[in-house]
């Protein structure tokens, strides 16, 4: 009878997969241990699911007009009421979740790597490279992010893609400064010096030894930044520089509903509440991630 003996490569792959699954399970368990972190995680996951399955969840088309049903109060037919064109507000909020999550994830995918690379490069090499990169970062930080995003968006033209690029150009400096601070500590660690003595090149040291130690702090910072990104994107939409009508962008919905604040309050209140809930969820989730990923931080 033949006995199957796993190859070393297969055994190593299985062990790595098992370790990854175990680490993921421990991470989720630690995150769920705090009530606020659990609530933020659940809300964010719900938002992602709503964004993915918006066509199946929304009861009406987000752009279909029915002037005979304009400005109806919340009822059994329209749970959150209708706007000035008779469009169902709940359906527009559901579809607007897709726009908001697309904006947040796209900006984070740009800001994270850019800020991480700039910060790690400045912190690892130091000297003139650090001085040049950090002075440029300070120049960008000296401008209010919303004002700078407005300037970029106005120069490039209104639109969702323009808003993503404009916010990305202004959101990377805090990530870069955080990555630099982490790199300044890690570059003098014993294991980095040992790898340097064994002949590891600078790129190898950066990407295999320094960057992985900076990623947890960057993830926490990005999660906390997502609340600011949500508000900035809504502000651009409110001013007409984000997603253009008839797209159900939350900031644009508030802008259209501000004329009816006194009598038809639901037109502007519902998207405002959606922005508040999304920002609060990301803030709470980021705070919980800081507790889990940063062992040096202790809640007082």
């Amino acid at each position: 009878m033949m006995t199957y003996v796993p190859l070393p490569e297969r055994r190593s792959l299985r062990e790595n997969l098992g370790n990854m699954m175990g680490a993921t399970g421990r991470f989720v368990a630690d995150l769920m241990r705090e009530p606020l972190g659990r609530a933020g995680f659940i809300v964010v996951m719900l938002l992602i699911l709503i964004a993915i399955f918006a066509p199946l969840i929304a009861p009406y088309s987000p752009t279909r007009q029915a002037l005979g049903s304009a400005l109806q109060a919340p009822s059994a037919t329209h749970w959150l009421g209708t706007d000035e064109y008779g469009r169902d507000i709940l359906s527009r909020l559901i579809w607007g979740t897709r726009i908001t999550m697309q904006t947040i994830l796209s900006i984070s995918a740009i800001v994270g790597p850019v800020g991480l690379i700039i910060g790690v490069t400045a912190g690892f090499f130091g000297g003139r490279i650090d001085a040049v990169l950090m002075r440029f970062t300070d120049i960008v930080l000296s401008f209010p992010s919303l004002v700078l995003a407005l300037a970029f968006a106005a120069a490039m033209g209104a639109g969702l893609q323009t808003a993503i690029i404009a916010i990305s150009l202004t959101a990377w400096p805090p990530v870069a400064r955080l990555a630099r601070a982490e790199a300044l500590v890690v570059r003098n660690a014993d294991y980095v010096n040992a790898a340097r003595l064994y002949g590891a090149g600078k790129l190898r040291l950066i990407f295999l030894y320094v960057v992985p130690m900076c990623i947890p702090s960057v993830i926490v910072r990005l999660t906390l930044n997502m609340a600011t990104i949500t508000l900035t994107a809504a502000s651009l939409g409110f001013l007409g520089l984000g997603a253009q009508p008839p797209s159900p962008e939350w900031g644009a919905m508030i802008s259209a509903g501000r004329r009816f604040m006194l009598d038809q309050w639901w037109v502007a209140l519902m998207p405002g509440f959606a922005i508040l809930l999304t920002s609060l969820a990301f803030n709470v989730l980021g705070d919980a991630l800081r507790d889990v990923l940063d062992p040096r931080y202790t809640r007082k």
Side-chain angles (χ1 to χ4, degrees):
M1 181 177 179
M2 298 180 63
T3 304
Y4 173 74
V5 179
L7 294 174
E9 293 81 1
R10 294 178 180 176
R11 186 160 53 245
S12 177
L13 178 60
R14 291 177 181 177
E15 292 176 355
N16 290 336
L17 290 176
N19 293 335
M20 290 176 60
M21 294 180 64
T24 303
R26 290 191 299 271
F27 170 76
V28 174
D30 292 339
L31 185 62
M32 291 296 182
R33 189 169 293 122
E34 296 189 13
L36 289 178
R38 181 168 60 248
F41 179 78
I42 292 174
V43 172
V44 170
M45 289 298 103
L46 285 176
L47 290 172
I48 294 175
L49 291 176
I50 290 173
I52 294 173
F53 298 105
L56 302 178
I57 299 174
Y60 301 95
S61 169
T63 58
R64 184 179 65 86
Q65 299 183 9
L67 298 180
S69 304
L71 298 176
Q72 287 188 359
S75 63
T77 305
H78 301 282
W79 290 1
L80 299 183
T82 61
D83 62 8
E84 68 273 22
Y85 296 109
R87 297 173 297 194
D88 183 65
I89 293 179
L90 176 60
S91 299
R92 290 180 62 78
L93 288 181
I94 292 174
W95 280 91
T97 304
R98 172 173 289 190
I99 296 176
T100 300
M101 297 307 297
Q102 176 187 350
T103 303
I104 292 173
L105 296 179
S106 299
I107 294 172
S108 299
I110 297 172
V111 168
V114 170
L116 181 63
I117 292 174
I118 292 176
V120 169
T121 302
F124 181 82
F125 288 101
R128 293 183 179 180
I129 295 177
D130 182 24
V132 171
L133 291 178
M134 285 301 101
R135 295 301 76 75
F136 177 68
T137 302
D138 291 339
I139 291 173
V140 179
L141 278 174
S142 64
F143 295 93
S145 59
L146 179 58
V147 175
L148 197 58
L150 287 173
F152 282 126
M156 294 184 292
L160 180 60
Q161 301 302 323
T162 298
I164 292 174
I165 296 173
I167 299 174
S168 299
L169 291 174
T170 62
W172 62 266
V175 178
R177 294 191 68 87
L178 177 62
R180 174 184 178 270
E182 294 287 341
L184 287 173
V185 176
V186 175
R187 71 176 184 178
N188 295 321
D190 292 338
Y191 69 92
V192 176
N193 291 328
R196 187 181 289 112
L197 290 176
Y198 273 99
K202 293 182 179 180
L203 290 179
R204 185 179 181 86
L205 290 174
I206 290 175
F207 288 102
L208 294 184
Y209 295 94
V210 179
V211 168
M213 299 303 296
C214 300
I215 287 178
S217 298
V218 171
I219 291 176
V220 173
R221 182 66 194 186
L222 284 176
T223 307
L224 292 172
N225 275 1
M226 288 178 181
T228 304
I229 292 171
T230 303
L231 295 175
T232 305
S235 300
L236 293 179
F238 182 87
L239 296 173
L241 296 175
Q244 297 300 296
S247 297
E249 200 275 328
W250 293 345
M253 292 174 64
I254 296 178
S255 178
R258 71 185 188 276
R259 297 174 294 169
F260 313 103
M261 282 292 297
L262 296 180
D263 298 322
Q264 290 80 25
W265 48 268
W266 58 87
V267 180
L269 179 63
M270 299 305 178
F273 180 76
I275 295 172
L276 172 64
L277 180 63
T278 303
S279 302
L280 182 61
F282 279 117
N283 268 327
V284 172
L285 179 61
D287 191 55
L289 285 176
R290 179 173 54 187
D291 296 342
V292 174
L293 296 177
D294 190 354
R296 295 168 298 181
Y297 175 81
T298 55
R299 185 186 296 274
K300 295 181 180 180

